[in-house]
Amino acid sequence: MEAITGYASYALPITTALIGVWLVWTVVRYVRADKGTRVSMRQAVRVRWGWVRLARMAGLTVTDKTPSLLTQITAQKDSPPPAPRILTPKIKVKPDQYGVIVQARTLPQVGLEEYQKSARFLADAWRCTRVSVLPDGPGKVLIRGVRSDPLTTPTRHRPTGRPLADLTRWELGVDEYAARVCVSLANVPGVTVAGVPGAGKTSGVNKFVCDFAPSPAVQIATADGKVSRASEGDYADLVKRMFAFCGDDLDEANALFKRLVELRKRRSATIRDVLGVKNMWHVAPSPEWPLTVLIIDEAHTFFREYKGSDATTKRLAALTAENARLVEDLVKKGRSVGILVILISQKTTGDAIPTFIRDVCPIGLSFAQKTVEAAVAALGEDIRNWPDASPVTLQDPAYVGVAVMAMQGRPGYTRIRTPYVSDADAARIAEETSHLTADPDLCLDALLRKTGRTAVSTPSLTK
């Protein structure tokens, strides 16, 4: 007893010290948080304190009539049966800028479906705009409650200038529950991006360039149908990180597409001998065999069908028809050799991007659209069944930078807030990474020489 009494004299000050440290840490974290996170931290406290009562009202508890082991041991022989226990799922609450993330346990008869049915009650009780419930492993669910709408909250992305650890992941932004949205680029031959002018198409692609530019295993070429020269338009700040660039001149674009098709043919002919695989994605991109990205902005400029009988019109019609054939070759045959085509247009209808190109691209994003027909062209017929997610509903200025896409593993369509990248940040990244720019043809020549094979010379690309 004396030993126990001696230890007890230390317990109180130790406990007090630990509580004091916890309080100081909580206050510091609260002070350093932004305004939105502070509100969420207060919201998290309300969620924890009110959970037992709310769970009972929402039907998320279960009655256990079996006495606990302790009750069975201590119960007297003639004593009345103990009252049934009401079990409440245990939760962990984490606040962030937009709301709270709640990890909850399941119970018999209180599973994922029951939580999903109670989502609207939880949203009202927690004062959230919307609440989602997703599985989080065996016996657990993840409840996401957003207090402010992430889709109408503009975000800004400041590129770090560091190479990505995984070149197969393209981080697009956050969805309507503020969850990060990433798509895999592995084995993806093409991406289509649609939307009315000023909806955020080019800004989203700028983020892609700024994120991937620090890696020497990525090389980028661009054909921009909105400008005549590299010093104009949205890509003027990024052109230093591009191994090739052309404007709206159809002859220059045709030469660029031919050059990339020749690169595709050379890679297809040598990939087994050089990389030892049939598919580049089995070994990942490298500086010697970089992922080659072709961005075609205002794609309809290069595929437009010219109609007329005069010589000039016939020549332009022949050029655009050949452009379509060349890009079709890249999209249909370039996947396994590490060529990715990103096609951007206001509408991805068949007259803007030929269907034999558009329908081969597995990833499609659509920013705001004015008509259902344009939304269907960008996202497929199924978007008619999801009117709340249609890009036609994104015409409000608050939704500039919001895109819609179909995500693998998710029903329906996902709305995504893409972040804004400033021109200054884009110029900084291009300047810092310009030394990494290399012609993939020359990279292949060097790799062939390194492996003892004869390099096939091709015409050089000019910016």
Side-chain angles (χ1 to χ4, degrees), residues 53-65:
R53 183 169 178 238
L54 176 61
R56 292 182 179 182
M57 291 190 294
L60 297 176
T61 58
V62 63
T63 301
D64 186 2
K65 297 182 180 180

Side-chain angles (χ1 to χ4, degrees), residues 30-85:
Y30 182 84
V31 171
R32 295 183 63 182
D34 57 77
K35 183 178 179 181
T37 304
R38 291 179 187 176
V39 177
S40 297
M41 292 173 73
R42 297 194 296 269
Q43 181 185 20
V45 172
R46 293 196 302 269
V47 170
R48 292 189 193 96
W49 288 358
W51 172 243
V52 173
R53 183 169 178 238
L54 176 61
R56 292 182 179 182
M57 291 190 294
L60 297 176
T61 58
V62 63
T63 301
D64 186 2
K65 297 182 180 180
T66 303
S68 65
L69 179 61
L70 180 62
T71 303
Q72 294 180 39
I73 294 173
T74 58
Q76 299 294 326
K77 187 175 182 180
D78 298 330
S79 61
R85 295 178 297 154

Side-chain angles (χ1 to χ4, degrees), residues 126-276:
W126 294 345
R127 302 173 190 173
C128 290
T129 302
R130 62 178 72 93
V131 165
S132 72
V133 181
L134 297 173
D136 191 36
K140 295 185 291 185
V141 297
L142 188 68
I143 308 173
R144 175 50 162 159
V146 290
R147 185 187 61 263
S148 57
D149 190 350
L151 297 180
T152 58
T153 304
T155 56
R156 183 168 178 168
H157 175 67
R158 182 174 173 80
T160 63
R162 295 190 295 270
L164 294 176
D166 186 358
L167 292 177
T168 66
R169 287 169 55 87
W170 179 10
E171 289 197 6
L172 292 172
V174 296
D175 65 10
E176 55 196 304
Y177 296 100
R180 290 187 176 276
V181 177
C182 300
V183 296
S184 175
L185 294 179
N187 288 298
V188 172
V191 177
T192 59
V193 183
V196 298
K201 303 186 299 296
T202 305
S203 178
V205 176
N206 279 352
K207 179 184 181 298
F208 170 89
V209 175
C210 289
D211 286 346
F212 283 79
S215 173
V218 178
Q219 300 299 336
I220 302 167
T222 300
D224 188 358
K226 298 193 299 292
V227 301
S228 298
R229 54 183 64 88
S231 59
E232 302 171 352
D234 299 308
Y235 300 100
D237 296 319
L238 296 170
V239 74
K240 289 183 179 180
R241 187 54 181 90
M242 297 176 181
F243 71 88
F245 183 93
C246 72
D248 57 2
D249 187 282
L250 294 182
D251 290 296
E252 292 183 9
N254 186 259
L256 173 59
F257 299 155
K258 283 181 178 178
R259 182 69 178 89
L260 291 174
V261 168
E262 285 301 312
L263 173 66
R264 196 278 305 164
K265 291 179 179 179
R266 295 182 66 208
R267 283 187 170 187
S268 296
T270 59
I271 185 171
R272 286 194 183 190
D273 295 334
V274 175
L275 298 184

Side-chain angles (χ1 to χ4, degrees), residues 85 94 96 166 243 293 371:
R85 295 178 297 154
K94 179 182 178 181
D96 64 11
D166 186 358
F243 71 88
V293 182
T371 64

Side-chain angles (χ1 to χ4, degrees), residues 321-335:
E322 187 177 23
N323 287 343
R325 179 183 63 80
L326 294 169
V327 174
E328 179 188 14
D329 180 283
L330 294 173
V331 172
K332 289 185 175 180
K333 301 177 182 179
R335 171 186 59 83

